[in-house]
Amino acid sequence: MHEFLQKLNCLDVKFNNKSSRFPRFGKSDPAKSNDYNDTICNLIDELILSNIAIDSVLDLACGHGNHLMTVHEKFKNLCIGVDIHEFDAWNHEFENLHFFQKDIDEITTNIKCKEKLDLIITMNTLRSSPFRTKKYFTLFLEWCRSHSNYLITNNCTNVKLPGFELIATKTPDGTLKHRPCDVNLFKTL
């Protein structure tokens, strides 16, 4: 079992809406997020074609889990999803696909691992208002950098992510042009 999954299973912290700094999003719309699924898988395919193993994926603020379920279905890797809300879509019987209702602030504060995850996905998060404060933005990205080799997010083509290098950008229509719905692949430095 991956070290992160072990520690997440042991994290027993109650959600405290007043202390959490992580953005509060409305519940995700599965129909809208489906547009990103193939694009995310195409970026993972590029890594695999470059002989980079993607055996473990963490989706922070995963919502219904659409992206993660698509990645798991295609690649059969260890997939872990975390969101502050719990969704009926998480009820499944798939090996190596795990969902947790947890506060992401509690994870970034309390979980420190030596073993890195191969990839973190966090869609529609880094452009939200709590991340506009440099301190929170930097702390969150530092945790991601120290716990993964790659990061997939969206709408960050022109955003400098400290500790990361942008290596690919795609849109759901397959082009490499920057658009409001681009998906970005970053490598940790």
Side-chain angles (χ1 to χ4, degrees):
M1 182 182 292
H2 194 281
E3 178 187 8
F4 177 81
L5 186 56
Q6 288 175 326
K7 290 185 177 189
L8 187 60
N9 275 321
C10 294
L11 185 64
D12 188 28
V13 178
K14 300 282 187 221
F15 171 60
N16 181 346
N17 194 27
K18 293 178 181 165
S19 67
S20 182
R21 297 170 294 169
F22 196 82
R24 295 287 165 258
F25 303 107
K27 292 186 176 183
S28 65
D29 179 353
K32 289 181 181 177
S33 68
N34 282 338
D35 290 341
Y36 288 114
N37 292 342
D38 288 339
T39 309
I40 291 168
C41 287
N42 289 340
L43 288 169
I44 294 170
D45 272 333
E46 286 184 16
L47 291 171
I48 292 170
L49 289 171
S50 300
N51 292 320
I52 298 168
I54 302 297
D55 296 324
S56 56
V57 178
L58 170 63
D59 189 347
L60 293 172
C62 68
H64 286 45
N66 294 352
H67 306 317
L68 203 58
M69 286 187 248
T70 301
V71 167
H72 183 266
E73 183 178 310
K74 181 168 183 176
F75 301 104
K76 307 294 186 238
N77 44 12
L78 171 63
C79 291
I80 306 164
V82 177
D83 199 279
I84 201 65
H85 302 288
E86 187 172 16
F87 294 89
D88 290 338
W90 293 0
N91 297 324
H92 59 79
E93 297 286 332
F94 301 111
E95 185 177 343
N96 287 326
L97 177 59
H98 310 273
F99 290 99
F100 296 87
Q101 183 182 14
K102 300 280 184 187
D103 182 351
I104 293 170
D105 273 351
E106 295 298 335
I107 292 169
T108 59
T109 301
N110 296 306
I111 295 182
K112 306 295 183 230
C113 298
K114 293 179 184 173
E115 180 184 9
K116 283 188 169 191
L117 295 150
D118 295 314
L119 173 68
I120 291 177
I121 299 171
T122 185
M123 302 295 283
N124 298 316
T125 55
L126 297 179
R127 61 193 173 120
S128 66
S129 58
F131 287 102
R132 293 189 189 124
T133 65
K134 184 175 170 88
K135 182 178 180 184
Y136 189 69
F137 185 76
T138 303
L139 288 172
F140 178 78
L141 287 174
E142 175 55 31
W143 187 89
C144 290
R145 188 194 61 73
S146 65
H147 287 83
S148 72
N149 296 314
Y150 293 90
L151 174 74
I152 289 180
T153 190
N154 61 322
N155 303 320
C156 287
T157 301
N158 297 317
V159 177
K160 175 76 173 135
L161 301 184
F164 291 90
E165 174 188 5
L166 178 64
I167 59 173
T169 294
K170 289 194 175 192
T171 60
D173 66 5
T175 66
L176 296 175
K177 298 176 184 173
H178 172 64
R179 297 194 182 179
C181 56
D182 63 355
V183 180
N184 316 112
L185 173 62
F186 291 87
K187 179 179 181 176
T188 59
L189 299 175

